[in-house]
Amino acid sequence: MNIFNDKNGKYRPVVNQDFSDDDSEEDDFIQDHVRKQQLQMARQDEGLEMLAQSAQRLGQMSSTITQELDYQNKMLDDIDEGLDTATDNLDLVTRKTKELVQKAGGKQNCLIIVVLTCIVLLLIW
């Protein structure tokens, strides 16, 4: 059977023809292949559906992770600000302690106080 028109060379659709008994085996073969292809397409559709569901779950998970990271970044910023404040306060206390030690006579008086405190503790024991 020729599917091309001889005159202009264009495709001519195949018309349904009445196949004889000799062609029934060929029809069964074709129908079997069509069924197999349809089954394979159904399996592929199921696989694609599972893949789409997985992609949707991954999208939801990534959104949740993004929200959690944003929240933790805010927490880290707050901790950083608190640490800066604590560092500033510690620097102020250290400076004032140094000034107090210098006003009290420097390191010599502190050393004398520490030694006398140790002697008192030894005498108490």
Side-chain angles (χ1 to χ4, degrees):
M1 171 168 59
N2 187 5
I3 60 171
F4 294 104
N5 190 340
D6 292 336
K7 293 180 183 176
N8 57 10
K10 293 186 177 181
Y11 170 76
R12 180 178 57 190
V14 177
V15 291
N16 291 334
Q17 296 179 357
D18 184 24
F19 294 103
S20 63
D21 290 337
D22 295 336
D23 291 335
S24 67
E25 287 181 25
E26 188 176 317
D27 287 343
D28 291 342
F29 177 78
I30 292 172
Q31 289 176 359
D32 184 48
H33 277 299
V34 167
R35 278 190 297 267
K36 286 180 182 178
Q37 287 178 348
Q38 289 173 344
L39 181 63
Q40 185 177 11
M41 286 172 46
R43 288 180 186 156
Q44 289 174 348
D45 287 343
E46 289 173 8
L48 288 173
E49 182 64 31
M50 288 174 47
L51 184 62
Q53 291 172 354
S54 296
Q56 185 177 15
R57 280 193 306 269
L58 284 174
Q60 291 170 347
M61 288 173 59
S62 68
S63 176
T64 302
I65 289 171
T66 299
Q67 290 173 355
E68 181 66 24
L69 287 175
D70 289 343
Y71 176 72
Q72 290 184 8
N73 279 335
K74 288 177 185 176
M75 287 176 39
L76 287 173
D77 290 341
D78 291 343
I79 290 172
D80 191 38
E81 288 175 17
L83 185 60
D84 288 342
T85 302
T87 301
D88 292 342
N89 289 339
L90 183 61
D91 289 342
L92 179 66
V93 169
T94 303
R95 190 170 14 119
K96 288 196 177 216
T97 304
K98 285 181 181 179
E99 290 173 5
L100 182 64
V101 168
Q102 288 174 353
K103 285 181 183 178
K107 294 180 183 178
Q108 291 176 348
N109 287 341
C110 285
L111 184 59
I112 292 172
I113 292 171
V114 170
V115 170
L116 290 175
T117 304
C118 290
I119 291 172
V120 170
L121 289 174
L122 285 174
L123 291 176
I124 292 176
W125 278 59

